[in-house]
Amino acid sequence: MALLELNDVQASYGAIKALHGVSISVEEGSIVAVLGANGAGKSTTLKAISGAVRPTAGSIVFDGKELNGLTPNQIVKLGIAQVPEGRKIFKDLTVTENLRMGAYSRNDGAAIEEDFDRVLELFPRLGERKTQLGGSLSGGEQQMLAIGRGLMARPRLLLLDEPSLGLAPIIIADIFKTLRLINQEQSTTMLLVEQNANIALKHASFGYVLQVGKVAIEDTASNLRTNKEVIEAYMGAQR
Amino acid sequence: MLGQQILSGLATGSVYALTAIAVVVVFRNTRTINLAQGDFGMIAAFLGILFIKEFDLNYYVMLPLVVLCSMALGVLVERIVMRPIADSDWLTLFTATLGVYYILHGAAGWIWGRDTKAFPVTFDAEPVDIFGALISQGHLINMGWAAAIGIVLFFFFKYTKQGIAMRAVTDDPETALLMGIPVRFIVLLTWGMAGFLAAFAGVLLAPIVYVSPEMMDEVLIKGYVAAVFGGLYSIPGAIIGALMIGVAENLAGGYLGSHFKTATAFVMIVVLLTFRPQGLFGIQKRREI
């Protein structure tokens, strides 16, 4: 059984329907990409999983548990952490404090320290800036901090919302290399929402393409990379 | 004479500071200007009398009990009054606290009467000599307590999980929720802290100004002005604002005459806001939606 299963999930913002029935399945240990244009419902899908948006229909099942009706902090406790769009670092908190807040839902002190050291090992730049305020970091460093903060929850599933947004290609490559490493070493499952289809399909094993709130295409990442429709719509600029 | 004026100004200012800190803490986590902050302290002072006179308790047994009751009052106001309207605009929240202010005023008058009461514990009238400046023991003790509370708060906000989480909620409540921080609980904690600070403000001031439903009215206004002075988001700003107001109004009272005393705080805030609308340590616009 898949670790995460979305069955025909619908969601709305007031009168505007954002998801018209999205079904996604994420296998344990995999990296799954969700692609799509602006407004296709990618972020809403993640928000529905994390409990920030309540689905109006359909079900979201994580590790056999129905998530509908749970609060965001209950969902974090179950093992789903979030790396939000735009990084959303706590600007007035230091790097260390930001990381500690990622572990808020945990009470296993020693293991938290272990994970803290591990995050600084993965992102040495954060170690150098431990006492600096989050707001004073560069975009790339903030993205690293956002990922590190997510990892501090010791999640089984990490939700990543546009981690490449606004970053230089060399930093994007670096960050994805680290994500891959985390995925392999700790077998952290990842659900990755990206507009940058090239980088996403390079690292994911499976992908979904959303169009106006519905899954339009779903296939393995290698097939999607050669899918004409995907190339034209989402990888066009690079060809 | 000057040293003495400054010293007793600092003593008054430190009670304003307790109120100002509470105004800041509640405002930055809930967008609420809490007009009932002073009255939490007033209730605490009446409870202090009750515990000492009726239950025959020692001052140092009374104090933690009053602090607990006052925290419970803060939490209760959050749960019953503020939470149901938490998503409303700031004016609604502000008006609700005005309602709480009048309810607490009325309740205190109804239960304990409208006339002023002396606080059963008064400090030794013999003033203490500090480098030639005379200060009453009550003032000195107040300063000590306020400083101790300031230090406790510093460590709380810097090193404890809940303290850092309170700052995270100030920074970005939506993201705090996504990170698994129970924002509602943190808000509850915030109101508990308001009650905690109010208890000390009320009990410390009680032996000096006597106890009545109106005893904290002026302190609330001064504390609020001090909070605005510091920029409404900054605790150090609120403390500095409160001490400055305490000293300035004492000097004005001493050298210009007592009529000028109360006006001083307002003159200061008008002048400051003219030149620095964001306050001393303010940040002009904190949250984008």
Side-chain angles (χ1 to χ4, degrees):
Chain A
M1 215 191 94
L3 181 64
L4 179 76
E5 197 98 50
L6 275 72
N7 300 310
D8 202 25
V9 171
Q10 304 186 21
S12 314
Y13 294 106
I16 303 156
K17 205 160 186 187
L19 300 182
H20 297 268
V22 169
S23 298
I24 283 176
S25 161
V26 181
E27 291 300 323
E28 177 127 43
S30 66
I31 300 181
V32 171
V34 176
L35 311 174
N38 256 338
K42 303 187 303 283
S43 289
T44 311
T45 303
L46 287 195
K47 281 185 181 146
I49 299 168
S50 63
V53 169
R54 287 259 161 113
T56 49
S59 73
I60 303 176
V61 180
F62 175 73
D63 194 25
K65 279 187 210 73
E66 169 67 57
L67 298 186
N68 205 354
L70 297 186
T71 62
N73 57 303
Q74 288 172 320
I75 290 171
V76 174
K77 271 198 181 133
L78 287 179
I80 302 180
Q82 173 102 274
V83 180
E85 183 181 2
R87 340 204 198 287
K88 297 286 169 63
I89 290 307
F90 296 119
K91 294 187 177 63
D92 294 334
L93 267 55
T94 65
V95 168
T96 302
E97 288 168 345
N98 265 284
L99 292 175
R100 277 189 74 179
M101 284 300 101
Y104 183 94
S105 55
R106 299 169 60 185
N107 288 312
D108 46 344
I112 293 175
E113 284 311 307
E114 254 172 54
D115 287 352
F116 182 79
D117 293 339
R118 173 80 185 128
V119 166
L120 296 189
E121 210 177 288
L122 287 166
F123 301 109
R125 294 270 284 277
L126 297 182
E128 293 160 21
R129 285 161 172 68
K130 269 201 299 205
T131 57
Q132 254 174 259
L133 292 184
S136 72
L137 302 182
S138 71
E141 289 162 353
Q142 288 195 2
Q143 189 61 62
M144 293 172 198
L145 182 54
I147 293 169
R149 187 178 60 180
L151 290 175
M152 287 299 291
R154 196 174 269 197
R156 291 177 63 196
L157 172 66
L158 190 62
L159 306 175
L160 294 136
D161 198 347
E162 306 268 9
S164 77
L165 199 72
L167 300 181
I170 187 163
I171 295 170
I172 297 175
D174 206 39
I175 283 175
F176 271 85
K177 222 172 72 193
T178 311
L179 287 176
R180 194 73 172 270
L181 187 75
I182 296 160
N183 170 252
Q184 282 162 358
E185 284 189 357
Q186 279 145 307
S187 65
T188 307
T189 311
M190 296 182 185
L191 182 60
L192 168 68
V193 155
E194 261 298 345
Q195 287 208 46
N196 187 336
N198 279 306
I199 191 93
L201 292 178
K202 193 171 148 194
H203 295 281
S205 55
F206 202 86
Y208 292 86
V209 178
L210 293 190
Q211 273 166 14
V212 277
K214 261 183 126 47
V215 174
I217 313 170
E218 58 181 284
D219 210 334
T220 61
S222 53
N223 282 348
L224 287 178
R225 273 201 299 270
T226 54
N227 182 312
K228 236 181 109 195
E229 213 180 316
V230 173
I231 292 170
E232 273 172 15
Y234 306 107
M235 299 161 92
Q238 280 84 5
R239 286 278 154 147
Chain B
M1 177 68 180
L2 179 68
Q4 198 158 320
Q5 294 283 4
I6 291 174
L7 210 53
S8 61
L10 288 174
T12 325
S14 59
V15 176
Y16 296 163
L18 294 176
T19 306
I21 293 168
V23 168
V24 165
V25 168
V26 168
F27 174 75
R28 66 186 193 177
N29 275 6
T30 67
R31 300 174 298 126
T32 307
I33 296 288
N34 179 21
L35 285 180
Q37 180 61 35
D39 280 5
F40 290 172
M42 175 270 291
I43 297 288
F46 272 114
L47 287 176
I49 296 182
L50 182 77
F51 287 153
I52 290 176
K53 273 201 162 155
E54 306 297 324
F55 300 156
D56 246 347
L57 296 179
N58 173 289
Y59 185 86
Y60 292 100
V61 179
M62 171 278 291
L63 192 58
L65 278 179
V66 166
V67 169
L68 279 179
C69 291
S70 188
M71 289 173 76
L73 178 62
V75 165
L76 227 61
V77 166
E78 198 280 333
R79 281 302 274 111
I80 296 170
V81 183
M82 303 313 292
R83 183 171 300 177
I85 55 167
D87 293 327
S88 314
D89 63 308
W90 72 270
L91 189 60
T92 308
L93 301 172
F94 173 80
T95 309
T97 70
L98 184 62
V100 175
Y101 169 96
Y102 275 109
I103 289 168
L104 293 180
H105 256 64
W110 181 53
I111 299 170
W112 291 296
R114 295 240 149 244
D115 38 312
T116 54
K117 292 182 168 49
F119 200 70
V121 175
T122 42
F123 298 105
D124 202 331
E126 190 65 34
V128 186
D129 190 318
I130 298 176
F131 302 119
L134 295 177
I135 182 166
S136 78
Q137 291 191 23
H139 274 148
L140 204 61
I141 288 167
N142 286 1
M143 274 159 63
W145 272 109
I149 290 166
I151 291 166
V152 167
L153 286 186
F154 174 82
F155 282 99
F156 175 75
F157 279 114
K158 191 123 183 74
Y159 297 111
T160 71
K161 181 168 160 180
Q162 306 306 344
I164 298 169
M166 274 175 81
R167 286 165 50 218
V169 170
T170 300
D171 208 317
D172 183 346
E174 285 84 17
T175 305
L177 198 62
L178 278 186
M179 294 303 121
I181 297 172
V183 174
R184 280 181 173 178
F185 170 71
I186 296 293
V187 166
L188 210 61
L189 210 62
T190 304
W191 282 88
M193 180 180 277
F196 172 89
L197 290 163
F200 281 97
V203 170
L204 294 181
L205 205 63
I208 297 168
V209 301
Y210 298 109
V211 180
S212 73
E214 288 79 30
M215 67 176 277
M216 297 300 282
D217 285 0
E218 210 181 308
V219 177
L220 168 73
I221 300 291
K222 303 284 171 59
Y224 170 66
V225 169
V228 173
F229 206 90
L232 263 180
Y233 275 95
S234 161
I235 292 177
I239 294 172
I240 291 171
L243 295 179
M244 280 172 70
I245 288 170
V247 170
E249 69 173 20
N250 227 38
L251 289 177
Y255 291 101
L256 302 174
S258 57
H259 303 301
F260 291 91
K261 201 169 171 177
T262 307
T264 312
F266 299 98
V267 173
M268 283 170 69
I269 196 72
V270 167
V271 171
L272 179 86
L273 291 185
T274 305
F275 295 104
R276 262 187 84 80
Q278 72 273 38
L280 217 51
F281 290 78
I283 308 102
Q284 229 143 10
K285 194 161 178 280
R286 282 308 282 261
R287 269 171 222 170
E288 18 11 294
I289 294 299

